[in-house]
């Protein structure tokens, strides 16, 4: 009997199904990790711009108060 002709209830099909499920979970985990890092990078970028804008406004305000 060929390996391709195993009955559906055999251990070969079960192990193949488990392997596919494990692979799908690993792919999902890696994709989530990459997406998380991209989102963190975008948030950090905008937070950095906000900090610079607030610092410039603070300097302008302080100069107006002092002078």
């Amino acid at each position: 009997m060929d390996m391709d002709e195993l009955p559906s209830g055999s251990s070969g099909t079960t192990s193949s199904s488990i392997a596919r499920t494990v692979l799908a979970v690993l792919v999902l985990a890696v994709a989530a990790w990459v997406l998380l890092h991209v989102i963190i990078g975008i948030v950090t970028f905008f937070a950095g711009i906000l900090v610079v804008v607030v610092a410039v406004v603070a300097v302008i305000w302080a100069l107006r108060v002092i002078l």
Side-chain angles (χ1 to χ4, degrees):
M1 181 183 277
D2 250 355
M3 292 299 280
D4 294 338
E5 297 175 6
L6 288 174
S8 62
S10 70
S11 64
T13 305
T14 303
S15 65
S16 174
S17 175
I18 292 172
R20 288 184 66 180
T21 302
V22 169
L23 180 62
V25 168
L26 288 175
V27 168
L28 185 62
V30 170
W33 182 77
V34 169
L35 185 61
L36 178 66
H37 280 276
V38 169
I39 290 172
I40 288 173
I42 291 170
V43 169
T44 303
F45 173 74
F46 285 116
I49 290 175
L50 181 64
V51 167
V52 170
V53 169
V54 168
V56 168
V57 169
V59 168
I60 292 171
W61 174 81
L63 288 174
R64 289 182 62 169
V65 168
I66 291 173
L67 302 176

